[in-house]
Amino acid sequence: MGKINLASTTVVSREQRLGTIISWEGDALKLVEESGYSVPGCTGKKGNGCKLCEINGPFTQGSVCSEQMVECQAGNVRGAVLIQHSPIGCAVSQTIYNSIYRNGLAMRGLPVENLKIVSTNLIEGDMVFGGIGKLEQTLNDVWERYKPNAIFIGTACATGIIGDDIDSVASEYKEKFGIPVIPLHCEGFRSKHWSTGFDATQHGILRDIVRKNPKKQEDLVNVINLWGSDVFTPMLKELNLRVNYVVDLATVEDLAQMSEAALTVGFCNTLSSYLAQGLEQNFGVPELKAPQPYGFAGTDAWLRGIAKITHREELCEAYIKKEHERVTPKIEELKKKLKGVKGYVATGSAYSHGLISVLRELGVEVNGSLVFHHDPIYDSEDPIQDSLAFLVNNYGNVENFSVSNRQPYQLYALLKKVKPDFLLIRHNGLAPLASRLGIPAAPLGDEHIAVGYEGIVNLGEAILAILKRKKFHEDLSQHIKLPYTKWWLSQDDPYILAKNPEIIYQD
Amino acid sequence: MSHIQNSYENQKTNSISRPRYGCAIGAMYTASAIPGVVPITHCGPGCADKQYVSLAFYNGFQGGGYGGGAVPPSLNASENEVVFGGNERLKELIQASIKVIDADLFVVLTGCIPDLVGDDVPSVVSKYQEKGVPIVYAETGGFKGNNYTGHELVTKAIIDQYVGEYKGEKKKNVVNVWTEIPYQNPFWRGDLAEIKRILEGIGLEVNILFGHESKGVKEWKEIPKAQFNLVVSTWLGLSTAEHLEKKYGQPFLHIPVIPIGAKATSEFLRKVSDFAGLNQEKTEQFIQEEEKLYYKYLEDFSDFYAEYWWGVPSKFAVVGESSYNLAISKFLVNQLGLIPVKQIITENPPEEHKDNIRKEFENIADDVSVSPLFLEDGYLIEQALINSEEKPAIILGTTWDRDAAKQLGGNIVEIGFPSSYEVILSRANVGYRGALSLIEKIFTIAISASA
């Protein structure tokens, strides 16, 4: 049993905790069989049974870092301020996370405002003499300007290398200001996958914000999400339960009261794995052990799991029945319209497992998916949360299942092989390539779009709309030159350079 | 008045919130703005993405184009490269990039990690240069400065390491143009196209160097042959022009004001024509044709401007880099008769240029003088705006200034980085044609918010 250890200020990276990989090819069934739930000891903890081999090659395109996930989580907590202890370049992405924050607030009906992230703006001299003085200055600026309820301090590659001791500064200022001042160790180079950044933020929240002497609120459910629209309140209301959304757009108090909730649920195991287990292991708040809430099978099981923990079985069964009856005719209509359509899912890991279930409910053919990373096991280590196995067992295999960490050059070869009519995407950087190949993509900026029963309908309608855009993309594809060599464009195997790295030295 | 203004400049600390520029490696977009050029970023896993989603996406949604976005090869440096150095990995990545990426020129840009651990990037890259691979490098670690610094480093790297020496003849009437930074200024594509158009109009052959109307590296190879360099900006590009003067013996003309509107543009063209020794008659003929059309449109606009019942705002603030700030302020004051109440300069220009910039603002019109503030931190900028003695009814600024505009009950026109609520393709704000679309934008926003 993995333990979420809150003693250290530094989170243990995903690859160390879960055996996370960022490059792999095969089919979904093979990946299930080679992953942690099937292979005892395969959690990356020097287990001998692990067969999950990564196929990293000599060519890589720019990825994403942990610090960005800290920005998008800790930087989106209302009433808190995130300090980026970094040169100015790390701070430039406040732009995207501000846009997300503003639009997220608007979607939830909250007052729209700029996010509050401040960079210590380190320059060349600070690399030599250290940046602690500037961190203290920024802490004082933040306190004076905003009087926040909590201050997060995130590190950067540069501050990690020069070795600034942010832990000491954080404890000192925690005393001084009388609020949580939380160090988050999130240097980009420390983990090969950015999802460690989620864990870094959640680790800090568990250590320094979550209330240590909770008063139970038996009808409160922690929902770990991002900035998506409020679809969980109407669902859980049917069970007389209240939603506590965390981490994005939550207040510091919402985060503190997580320990008082009846249970914790999520919409994506990738995102919720660490925080949910941290709450269970350290605060006694159970994590829902159930499939993710996608498609009929997943949503039914997810609701029943919640009902069991909160003793609301009757309400739950009535709701399930009512919803099945309500959405089934709509889904039948959508199925007719989507007949013969082929989709491809290129999103975060566990999220893709959920989306493929929904597509298959809609009768959309899915014979390929790209995920940015793969966790062979989640922190709970409970097989019921093996979302990939749930997909394969309930909806069948996915023939071309690829792990590729935001590498558009590989996506080119993958799409050539799979030839989908559309893509579902979430992260930036892949849809532009699909577009140039004439394939439209539905960007799921609102991550809740496909959740629950209504999610099946939502996704179906989104796909119908996006298919119409084929006109634009096909036209464009006739007038485009791709930035790849003829040699690469003629390759069929996206992983050929990883398998035969010597090719790069041949003419 | 100056006392209150100074108080904000005096409150500056190291802290920066709501940044209005990228770091030096943001100049990967200087590289990818040249058709056919692809940057290779030697840095941590998030550096290139941060610049992409900010400079090229949530900034007018300009798009990564051919060689930007998620395309650039990147090292995604890990603990291994921090501890043992990244030279070997860089070699491998360059070799692989040549195999996979179809580029006329690669530009290697370094981030904080290699610059801190002391990777020997020059020696890695020079091995490829010796083999004839079109590749250059620039050391652009984020702590070295912002993307304005990076822009000049990349420009200079291409000139010195790729364009190279030239001792031959100069071509008369050929000019190299150094002005806005691609992507940082979300209107750069349209603006550069208009600048090229008007310079061609008076008989010049123009190396515009960046954007869809540039011929890419072929055009960069022509740089040394040009008759002169034209710097159209308050300070950016001056050091490049000085470098070219030394390197190729090219003179340069520096015009600090990017021309917007007929008055400024005609004056600009006359100055250039004079400096280049062009046919004056031809210049005047072009100006006449352009002005005729321009003033026909202004005549149409004048009905609205003169008698729109519900009034149009007069007091404006501009928050942006010195060049665009000056250009827009001048246009709004001199051609539209609007009232400047707060001009905030945000790119942190080098100290030695600040006095000249101040002077330009002091002499913005015969009867109007402005004291700009130099601020980079979003908090202080917002304080300066909302506590402005005279409230601006229009802020020409960035997404960061939307909240201030709301507090002031005014309008926001996003004209600089970041412009996250604008979609910008070929629109321009400069020259004759850009001025008209700027007028359309400002007054559409002003009146559409009214009811």
Side-chain angles (χ1 to χ4, degrees), chain A residues 168-184:
Chain A
S168 306
V169 177
S171 356
E172 188 190 329
Y173 279 80
K174 185 180 169 179
E175 291 301 312
K176 197 170 159 187
F177 297 155
I179 56 162
V181 178
I182 308 139
L184 305 175

Side-chain angles (χ1 to χ4, degrees), chain A residues 107-406:
Chain A
M107 270 200 308
R108 295 262 187 94
L110 295 164
V112 174
E113 58 171 22
N114 286 327
L115 48 59
K116 292 189 180 64
I117 306 183
V118 187
S119 167
T120 55
N121 183 29
L122 302 179
I123 54 176
E124 198 140 20
D126 306 313
M127 297 299 114
V128 181
F129 301 108
I132 290 296
K134 290 197 170 167
L135 175 58
E136 293 186 309
Q137 175 65 52
T138 299
L139 276 158
N140 286 318
D141 288 343
V142 162
W143 182 245
E144 198 183 303
R145 293 170 179 184
Y146 303 116
K147 290 282 176 311
N149 299 323
I151 299 173
F152 296 97
I153 303 171
T155 55
C157 293
T159 44
I161 293 173
I162 64 171
D164 274 356
D165 179 8
I166 65 161
D167 288 355
S168 306
V169 177
S171 356
E172 188 190 329
Y173 279 80
K174 185 180 169 179
E175 291 301 312
K176 197 170 159 187
F177 297 155
I179 56 162
V181 178
I182 308 139
L184 305 175
H185 295 273
C186 54
E187 300 88 343
F189 64 80
R190 286 221 198 274
S191 177
K192 63 186 168 193
H193 197 256
W194 42 263
S195 50
T196 290
F198 291 141
D199 308 339
T201 306
Q202 296 170 5
H203 184 79
I205 290 169
L206 286 163
R207 270 177 54 89
D208 293 319
I209 295 184
V210 177
R211 200 136 47 229
K212 304 283 189 302
N213 306 303
K215 274 188 219 142
K216 275 286 161 202
Q217 304 185 48
E218 72 87 32
D219 62 342
L220 191 67
V221 179
N222 298 321
V223 177
I224 300 172
N225 72 332
L226 296 164
W227 43 81
S229 57
D230 182 14
V231 308
F232 285 91
T233 300
M235 280 168 86
L236 294 184
K237 212 174 178 179
E238 299 277 343
L239 276 64
N240 286 334
L241 292 169
R242 288 181 299 125
V243 167
N244 187 35
Y245 282 123
V246 292
V247 171
D248 292 76
L249 311 183
T251 62
V252 177
E253 172 53 27
D254 295 337
L255 299 176
Q257 69 166 355
M258 282 195 289
S259 54
E260 304 182 349
L263 80 159
T264 305
V265 304
F267 79 99
C268 168
N269 291 343
T270 299
L271 177 71
S272 57
S273 175
Y274 193 83
L275 181 55
Q277 266 309 291
L279 288 166
E280 178 168 306
Q281 293 175 23
N282 295 278
F283 297 91
V285 178
E287 176 186 12
L288 174 67
K289 309 295 186 320
Q292 304 184 112
Y294 296 95
F296 284 113
T299 307
D300 291 352
W302 186 83
L303 284 166
R304 288 187 175 120
I306 294 173
K308 196 172 170 203
I309 295 176
T310 58
H311 311 294
R312 282 152 163 93
E313 283 93 342
E314 266 178 47
L315 285 172
C316 177
E317 290 308 322
Y319 176 56
I320 289 176
K321 188 163 176 286
K322 188 173 80 178
E323 282 295 274
H324 276 242
E325 281 166 12
R326 185 179 69 83
V327 299
T328 303
K330 290 191 192 179
I331 291 167
E332 288 310 315
E333 276 307 301
L334 285 166
K335 271 183 174 169
K336 281 181 213 157
K337 292 179 188 161
L338 288 165
K339 202 165 180 253
V341 171
K342 195 197 275 184
Y344 187 90
V345 179
T347 66
S349 179
Y351 193 50
S352 136
H353 311 158
L355 293 175
I356 296 170
S357 329
V358 181
L359 291 180
R360 294 229 169 127
E361 293 273 11
L362 289 163
V364 172
E365 185 190 346
V366 186
N367 64 348
S369 178
L370 174 159
V371 293
F372 298 106
H373 78 291
H374 177 70
D375 299 315
I377 198 160
Y378 297 109
D379 285 287
S380 74
E381 299 185 8
D382 191 319
I384 200 165
Q385 283 186 307
D386 187 350
S387 46
L388 188 59
F390 183 82
L391 166 67
V392 172
N393 294 338
N394 285 273
Y395 299 93
N397 197 8
V398 183
E399 211 178 315
N400 301 285
F401 202 88
S402 316
V403 183
S404 166
N405 193 18
R406 228 278 291 269

Side-chain angles (χ1 to χ4, degrees), chain A residues 49 74 76 92 94 101 131 181 235 240 284 295 297 368-369 412 432 441 490 502:
Chain A
N76 275 2
V92 75
Q94 287 182 27
Y101 184 61
V181 178
M235 280 168 86
N240 286 334
S369 178
Y412 173 79
S490 68
E502 71 284 356

Side-chain angles (χ1 to χ4, degrees), chain A residues 58-65 67-68 71 87-96 98-99 102-103 113-114 117-121 123-124 127 134 137-138 141 145-146 157-158 188-190 406 408 428-429 436 481-485 487 497 503-506, chain B residues 13-19 21-23 45-46 49-54 58 65-66 70-79 82 89 92-93 95-102 112-113 116-117 142-144 377 379-380 399-400 402-403 406 417-418 420-421:
Chain A
F59 185 72
T60 45
Q61 290 166 305
S63 172
V64 173
C65 74
E67 198 269 355
Q68 291 173 263
E71 259 183 289
I88 198 63
C90 297
V92 75
S93 43
Q94 287 182 27
T95 304
I96 172 174
N98 186 51
S99 192
R102 295 181 74 95
N103 284 38
E113 58 171 22
N114 286 327
I117 306 183
V118 187
S119 167
T120 55
N121 183 29
I123 54 176
E124 198 140 20
M127 297 299 114
K134 290 197 170 167
Q137 175 65 52
T138 299
D141 288 343
R145 293 170 179 184
Y146 303 116
C157 293
F189 64 80
R190 286 221 198 274
R406 228 278 291 269
N428 58 289
R436 285 153 173 80
K481 184 191 169 319
L482 293 173
Y484 301 104
T485 56
W487 176 81
L497 288 176
I503 292 179
I504 62 171
Y505 297 98
Q506 295 164 4
Chain B
T13 67
N14 58 289
S15 303
I16 291 191
S17 57
R18 308 166 210 161
Y21 43 70
C23 72
D49 186 61
K50 278 171 177 271
Q51 309 295 325
Y52 166 33
V53 293
S54 304
Y58 284 98
Y66 183 83
V71 170
S74 183
L75 207 77
N76 298 332
S78 67
E79 205 126 33
V82 171
R89 179 72 188 101
E92 181 188 60
L93 181 65
Q95 189 70 44
S97 301
I98 296 164
K99 189 82 185 165
V100 176
I101 298 286
D102 187 7
C112 294
I113 294 175
L116 281 174
V117 304
F143 53 81
K144 296 224 167 93
D377 173 31
Y379 175 81
L380 294 178
T399 300
W400 295 122
R402 293 175 83 84
D403 289 356
K406 207 182 283 174
F417 171 73
S420 305
Y421 293 91

Side-chain angles (χ1 to χ4, degrees), chain B residues 61-360:
Chain B
F61 303 96
Q62 301 171 59
Y66 183 83
V71 170
S74 183
L75 207 77
N76 298 332
S78 67
E79 205 126 33
N80 191 61
E81 285 77 43
V82 171
V83 178
F84 302 107
N87 289 340
E88 285 309 308
R89 179 72 188 101
L90 177 62
K91 245 184 249 175
E92 181 188 60
L93 181 65
I94 292 172
Q95 189 70 44
S97 301
I98 296 164
K99 189 82 185 165
V100 176
I101 298 286
D102 187 7
D104 297 331
L105 172 69
F106 289 108
V107 178
V108 177
L109 295 103
T110 58
C112 294
I113 294 175
D115 286 3
L116 281 174
V117 304
D119 284 352
D120 191 358
V121 175
S123 99
V124 172
V125 173
S126 63
K127 295 263 160 41
Y128 285 96
Q129 290 173 337
E130 284 158 19
K131 281 193 248 173
V133 175
I135 186 167
V136 302
Y137 68 90
E139 291 181 5
T140 48
F143 53 81
K144 296 224 167 93
N146 63 18
N147 51 336
Y148 289 76
T149 311
H151 177 74
E152 303 232 86
L153 287 170
V154 165
T155 303
K156 195 162 172 288
I158 299 175
I159 291 166
D160 289 349
Q161 299 170 45
Y162 178 75
V163 177
E165 299 308 314
Y166 178 77
K167 300 263 186 275
E169 294 283 296
K170 299 275 184 271
K171 283 189 189 165
K172 201 170 158 23
N173 297 351
V174 179
V175 61
N176 307 315
V177 176
W178 307 98
T179 177
E180 300 168 11
I181 304 193
Y183 287 91
Q184 165 73 24
N185 184 323
F187 294 94
W188 68 282
R189 287 188 181 121
D191 284 357
L192 293 193
E194 174 69 355
I195 290 171
K196 184 170 152 82
R197 186 186 76 83
I198 59 176
L199 290 175
E200 284 174 351
I202 59 168
L204 285 167
E205 192 182 313
V206 181
N207 293 327
I208 199 70
L209 305 172
F210 301 99
H212 299 322
E213 302 206 19
S214 159
K215 293 185 196 79
V217 292
K218 251 194 290 171
E219 195 177 81
W220 280 69
K221 285 277 190 193
E222 293 294 310
I223 287 175
K225 298 177 193 159
Q227 179 192 344
F228 68 108
N229 287 291
L230 174 61
V231 177
V232 193
S233 105
T234 45
W235 64 274
L236 187 87
L238 269 179
S239 72
T240 304
E242 282 159 7
H243 182 63
L244 291 169
E245 186 173 47
K246 267 191 227 127
K247 195 176 175 90
Y248 302 128
Q250 273 169 334
F252 68 86
L253 171 64
H254 177 210
I255 299 179
V257 189
I258 305 173
I260 304 181
K263 274 189 189 171
T265 308
S266 301
E267 190 189 317
F268 166 83
L269 290 176
R270 286 186 184 113
K271 263 190 212 161
V272 176
S273 172
D274 201 35
F275 184 87
L278 299 177
N279 179 334
Q280 268 193 11
E281 224 169 274
K282 191 176 172 186
T283 302
E284 288 306 322
Q285 195 192 335
F286 179 73
I287 288 173
Q288 218 176 39
E289 283 163 18
E290 289 291 318
E291 287 197 348
K292 192 177 162 198
L293 201 57
Y294 177 88
Y295 283 106
K296 274 288 163 204
Y297 281 114
L298 279 205
E299 184 186 345
D300 300 336
F301 166 70
S302 67
D303 284 17
F304 163 83
Y305 204 42
E307 65 172 10
Y308 182 64
W309 273 22
W310 321 106
V312 287
S314 278
K315 291 179 182 168
F316 73 97
V318 184
V319 189
E321 57 172 25
S322 55
S323 290
Y324 230 47
N325 197 326
L326 178 65
I328 287 175
S329 298
K330 262 202 129 125
F331 170 65
L332 298 185
V333 168
N334 286 306
Q335 283 237 278
L336 294 181
L338 298 183
I339 302 160
V341 296
K342 189 68 65 186
Q343 323 306 111
I344 302 172
I345 291 167
T346 55
E347 90 272 27
N348 195 17
E351 247 357 274
E352 68 264 29
H353 295 296
K354 282 187 180 165
D355 275 344
N356 285 335
I357 295 169
R358 278 192 199 98
K359 250 180 243 153
E360 289 290 340

